[in-house]
């Protein structure tokens, strides 16, 4: 969840913006199209950068990796709400959302985080995720069949990348088919949390009420789904409150939707812009597992995540004060030449340990990362195999959504 898409868009280019305006430069149309030259400049000139709003921007791999494991940089909902509220203006309004979302494992600190994470780990196992592969393949094949039948072009985001994670999550959590159109409406609204605060709050409230009804039904009549597994875990651990159970269901069902969609979209765009790498993947389909990790490193949909300083901490020779917000730019770390050789080059068989930070690190490492990567492997691998003439639709202009903490295409028109 982010908020900088509500800020005024700065005017200027990477070459004209003064060092004190580096953070504002990320709001420009140039940075929206390609933020990586801006990140490179920030790493060189001001790697621990304080914006005019008082928000810290971290862009070096070493700093961000350390920050992700530093408990003095908090993910606590209450701290986050106060920090956004203190900034005033649009960001103060955004603080209502951080409060409204409740206490879930993704916005708590230890020891509560460890307890809630343990609950999710029991239900969301690697074996359960891998068991979904055949089902994901069937969904991908169906979506591609429908797109190809409809015509000679498709919008990959709308026709494959967006419906795929919703279908997978609904199957995993046992959401009835008749409820899925409404759940899809809520998901689309939650994917644009900061664009309309009032509508987002309404969507959150309606979605929580729906999940509460679903939890009650699973208590009365358990099934072979993740909500039933979470309910069963609660019965074995009376420390888990009903509110925490509901919030855990909320974050697990919702969290990976947009990330998975745009991991597929950004990944396919990168391949189409690097035909040599696309040809390698066609010739050697086994590359797909390492390919998805490299695509996630190269252009991650989660450009940055947010923390708040719980206790004064020194980073890179600067002192970050209690109560200040910190933006950890994962995308910038993934192109840090101190960590990756030739970092701006896409290499599907990148040598060495490709330890990118696209899914975070430390106690808040993304629980849904393996499921997102599984879906990307199947979707991208199948598109490459089944559509050998896949290419960007002629004359199509790409539009990136206006949030510098996320990198998400509005559409990806393809022909085949």
């Amino acid at each position: 969840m982010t908020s900088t898409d509500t800020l005024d868009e700065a005017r200027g280019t990477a070459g004209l913006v003064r060092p004190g305006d580096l953070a504002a430069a990320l709001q420009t149309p140039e940075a929206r199209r390609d933020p990586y030259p801006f990140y490179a400049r920030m790493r060189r000139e001001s790697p621990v950068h304080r914006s005019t709003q008082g928000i810290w921007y971290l862009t070096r791999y070493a700093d961000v990796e350390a920050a992700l494991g530093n408990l003095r940089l908090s993910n606590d909902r209450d701290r986050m709400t106060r920090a956004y509220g203190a900034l005033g203006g649009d960001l103060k309004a955004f603080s209502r959302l951080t409060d409204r979302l409740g206490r879930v494992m993704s916005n708590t600190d230890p020891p509560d985080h460890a307890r809630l994470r343990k609950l999710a780990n029991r239900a969301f196992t690697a074996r359960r995720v891998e068991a979904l592969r055949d089902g994901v393949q069937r969904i991908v094949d169906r979506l591609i069949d429908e797109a190809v039948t409809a015509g000679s072009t498709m919008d990959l985001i709308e026709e494959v990348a967006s419906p795929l994670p919703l279908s997978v999550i609904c199957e995993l959590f046992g959401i009835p088919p008749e409820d899925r159109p409404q759940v899809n409406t809520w998901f689309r609204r939650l994917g644009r949390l900061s664009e309309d605060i009032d509508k987002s709050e309404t969507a959150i409230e309606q979605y929580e009420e729906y999940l509460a009804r679903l939890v009650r039904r699973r208590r009365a009549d358990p099934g072979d789904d993740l909500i039933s597994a979470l309910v069963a875990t609660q019965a074995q651990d009376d420390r888990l409150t009903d509110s925490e159970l509901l919030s855990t269901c909320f974050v697990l069902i919702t969290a990976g939707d947009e990330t998975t969609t745009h991991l597929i979209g950004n990944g396919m765009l990168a391949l189409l812009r690097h035909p040599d790498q696309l040809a390698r993947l066609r010739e050697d389909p086994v590359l797909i597992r390492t390919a998805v990790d490299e695509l996630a490193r190269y252009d991650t949909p989660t450009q940055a995540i947010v923390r708040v300083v719980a206790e004064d901490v020194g980073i890179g020779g600067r002192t970050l004060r209690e109560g200040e917000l910190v933006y950890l730019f994962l995308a910038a770390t993934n192109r840090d030449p101190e960590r990756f050789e030739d970092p701006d080059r896409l290499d599907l068989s990148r040598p060495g340990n490709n330890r990118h930070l696209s899914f975070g690190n430390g106690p808040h490492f993304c629980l849904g990362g393996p499921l997102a990567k599984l879906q990307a492997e199947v979707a991208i691998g199948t598109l490459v195999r089944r559509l050998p003439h896949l290419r960007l639709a002629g004359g199509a202009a790409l539009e990136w959504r206006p949030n510098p903490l996320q990198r998400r295409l509005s559409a990806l028109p393809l022909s085949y």
Side-chain angles (χ1 to χ4, degrees), residues 71 76 82 90 117 140 239 278 305 320 350 360 387 413:
L71 297 182
D76 181 73
R82 290 194 297 271
D90 290 334
R117 179 84 179 212
V140 168
R239 295 177 301 165
L278 179 57
I305 58 176
L320 285 59
R350 178 167 287 276
L387 303 175

Side-chain angles (χ1 to χ4, degrees), residues 119 122-124 128 172 218 222-236 240 245:
L119 160 72
R122 288 177 183 171
F124 210 72
R128 188 186 288 268
L172 188 60
R218 292 297 184 272
D224 183 23
D225 57 78
L226 267 184
I227 292 180
S228 296
L230 291 167
V231 167
T233 300
Q234 185 194 30
Q236 300 165 9
L240 181 67
L245 173 65

Side-chain angles (χ1 to χ4, degrees), residues 7 10 19 27 30 32 35 55 65 75 128 170 180 204 267 271 286 304 315 360 373 377 393 403 407 409:
L7 304 178
Q27 308 288 334
E30 291 82 4
R32 191 178 305 167
I55 299 173
E65 182 185 40
N75 208 37
R128 188 186 288 268
C170 285
R180 294 178 187 181
I204 291 169
L271 286 173
V286 176
I315 298 178
K373 290 199 289 186
E377 287 173 17
N403 188 334
R407 186 147 168 85
L409 284 162

Side-chain angles (χ1 to χ4, degrees), residues 86-309:
L87 292 176
D90 290 334
L91 292 183
K92 183 176 182 179
F94 183 78
S95 71
R96 302 201 322 254
L97 285 182
T98 64
D99 188 61
R100 183 69 183 82
L101 284 170
R103 300 191 67 79
V104 297
M105 65 180 179
S106 59
N107 64 21
T108 55
D109 293 330
D112 283 344
H113 173 267
R115 182 170 57 85
L116 295 173
R117 179 84 179 212
K118 184 178 180 181
L119 160 72
N121 285 341
R122 288 177 183 171
F124 210 72
T125 62
R127 179 180 297 179
R128 188 186 288 268
V129 170
E130 185 58 34
L132 293 170
R133 186 176 291 272
D134 289 345
V136 172
Q137 184 67 64
R138 286 192 294 271
I139 295 169
V140 168
D141 283 330
R142 173 177 58 80
L143 293 171
I144 293 176
D145 287 343
E146 292 171 354
V148 171
T149 300
S152 59
T153 62
M154 74 164 87
D155 173 5
L156 180 68
I157 303 298
E158 181 67 25
E159 298 179 62
V160 177
S162 182
L164 172 60
L166 174 65
S167 297
V168 171
I169 284 294
C170 285
E171 291 290 338
L172 188 60
F173 282 84
I175 295 175
E178 62 272 18
D179 294 345
R180 294 178 187 181
Q182 179 60 68
V183 172
N184 181 52
T185 299
W186 288 323
F187 271 36
R188 301 288 77 79
R189 180 66 258 162
L190 294 172
R192 292 171 167 81
L193 280 175
S194 55
E195 294 175 15
D196 188 318
I197 301 295
D198 292 333
K199 287 184 179 179
S200 294
E201 285 190 297
T202 299
I204 291 169
E205 182 176 350
Q206 293 172 346
Y207 185 35
E208 284 183 335
E209 290 173 353
Y210 170 76
L211 287 178
R213 292 195 299 271
L214 207 56
V215 167
R216 288 195 294 270
R217 291 209 295 267
R218 292 297 184 272
R219 280 205 180 105
D221 185 18
D224 183 23
D225 57 78
L226 267 184
I227 292 180
S228 296
L230 291 167
V231 167
T233 300
Q234 185 194 30
Q236 300 165 9
D237 186 351
D238 58 9
R239 295 177 301 165
L240 181 67
T241 67
D242 286 351
S243 176
E244 288 173 335
L245 173 65
L246 179 61
S247 294
T248 299
C249 290
F250 183 104
V251 73
L252 289 177
I253 295 175
T254 308
D257 176 49
E258 288 275 308
T259 300
T260 303
T261 293
H262 297 286
L263 176 59
I264 295 168
N266 294 5
M268 277 307 310
L269 177 61
L271 286 173
L272 293 168
R273 285 176 165 174
H274 295 81
D276 61 322
Q277 296 300 303
L278 179 57
R280 289 183 64 193
L281 185 56
R282 284 206 173 102
E283 292 167 4
D284 186 7
V286 176
L287 270 179
I288 189 62
R289 295 206 178 196
T290 59
V292 166
D293 259 318
E294 173 67 352
L295 293 168
R297 180 200 71 84
Y298 185 79
D299 199 11
T300 176
T302 303
Q303 297 278 287
I305 58 176
V306 186
R307 295 290 185 265
V308 60
V309 181

Side-chain angles (χ1 to χ4, degrees), residues 46-59:
S46 187
V48 182
H49 179 80
R50 193 171 190 269
S51 74
T52 54
Q53 275 195 308
I55 299 173
W56 291 96
Y57 287 57
L58 273 58
T59 50

